[in-house]
Amino acid sequence: MTARHILRTSMKLIDIGANLTDPVFRGKYRGNQAHPDDLEKILERARDAGIVAMMVTGGSLEESRHAIEMCQQHAHLYATVGCHPTRTSEVSKHAGGAPAYFAALQKLISENRDKVVAIGECGLDYDRLHFSDKATQLEHFVRHFELAQATGLPLFLHDRNTQGDFARLVKENRQKFTAGVVHSFTGSASEAQELLDLGLYIGINGCSLKTEDNLAAVKSIPVDRLMIETDCPYCEIRPTHASHKLLEKAVWKQPEAKRKERWSEECLVKSRNEPCTIRQVLHVLATLHAMDEAEMADRLYDNTVRVFSGIS
């Protein structure tokens, strides 16, 4: 058995947030084809890093359709279906308005129950109100609770600088959904506790690990309420992040990264995060919680399949 095969089979990880419908994973950047489509190589690197399943994020009706199409072609990929808070301005422009838009989301779910494991990405984002105003975000966040109630699916949630509105709406609608995870958490320890008190899980990626305060907050979260993600192609751990110094003793080493203009099939693309780097996030989480990486991976896996039971 090769060392590579041992590496592949010794970890069992689920990336709960992978934006694999992004054109950059097909070699296209801002509408221009910079290099060949390398999605299959990206998925291979993910498997080699121990990823056994991924949740492909649906951030709009159309993107949810694309996510499902991709997932139908790969047994280990699963989709979320919903409307990201910064995309909610598109709902009123849909033929038939909000009722028709959310009816279409529900139809998409009902026709693809073998692949749809969560409602979302949904929530509130007050850092980017220029994309969708507060009133619009609030109105359509509430509709996702109704969608969760109708389908019985858990929620894949987004919360950015929401001044208590996110927690208030979750609390008011908590009886409508079974479980949920707030992905890409970047808040304080007290904000983490507020989410835990609501019975939610918390997803961690590179953006969750930028500062010493971030590290302290993540360390405060009980392991049995954590999940792991990359949010690729975003949220990589960068040299400027407080967590980067913790990678010095990591067993898994990131493959070489090159600029897209110098693309090579065996290399990552600079500034394009991809699923295999979940091993860096895993190492940081294990270090913060003084655990072995394999044990942390097992705990994270168990948490994830407990909530997203559609993943098999």
Side-chain angles (χ1 to χ4, degrees), residues 55-194:
M55 289 167 54
V56 182
T57 309
S60 67
L61 176 57
E62 189 59 28
E63 192 173 271
S64 296
R65 289 190 179 116
H66 289 162
I68 290 170
E69 288 170 4
M70 179 182 291
C71 294
Q72 295 289 7
Q73 297 169 15
H74 298 88
H76 69 300
L77 300 185
Y78 299 86
T80 74
V81 169
C83 187
H84 190 284
T86 62
R87 314 274 279 280
T88 50
S89 58
E90 74 175 43
V91 175
S92 62
K93 300 171 187 174
H94 185 76
Y101 188 97
F102 279 85
L105 289 176
Q106 187 167 344
K107 184 173 185 288
L108 196 59
I109 294 165
S110 65
E111 292 175 347
N112 297 279
R113 287 304 295 251
D114 60 324
K115 281 297 182 180
V116 180
V117 295
I119 303 300
E121 180 176 358
C122 61
L124 300 173
D125 190 324
Y126 291 176
D127 282 342
R128 293 180 281 180
L129 293 173
H130 53 289
F131 289 121
S132 188
D133 63 52
K134 190 179 295 188
T136 301
Q137 290 191 33
L138 289 166
E139 176 187 355
H140 300 310
F141 183 25
V142 171
R143 290 181 181 273
H144 283 87
F145 294 119
E146 296 166 359
L147 193 57
Q149 186 173 40
T151 61
L153 289 172
L155 289 167
F156 184 71
L157 295 157
H158 180 104
D159 177 23
R160 281 288 180 273
N161 190 28
T162 55
Q163 302 151 27
D165 285 350
F166 176 88
R168 175 179 58 80
L169 285 178
V170 170
K171 187 174 184 179
E172 289 175 359
N173 293 277
R174 188 62 186 85
Q175 76 284 358
K176 294 180 181 177
F177 66 98
T178 56
V181 59
V182 179
H183 101 106
S184 194
F185 176 76
T186 58
S188 64
S190 61
E191 288 169 327
Q193 188 58 55
E194 185 175 38

Side-chain angles (χ1 to χ4, degrees), residues 39-51:
L39 177 65
E40 294 305 318
K41 192 65 180 180
I42 289 165
L43 296 179
E44 180 184 320
R45 280 194 287 267
R47 288 191 294 269
D48 286 349
I51 293 178

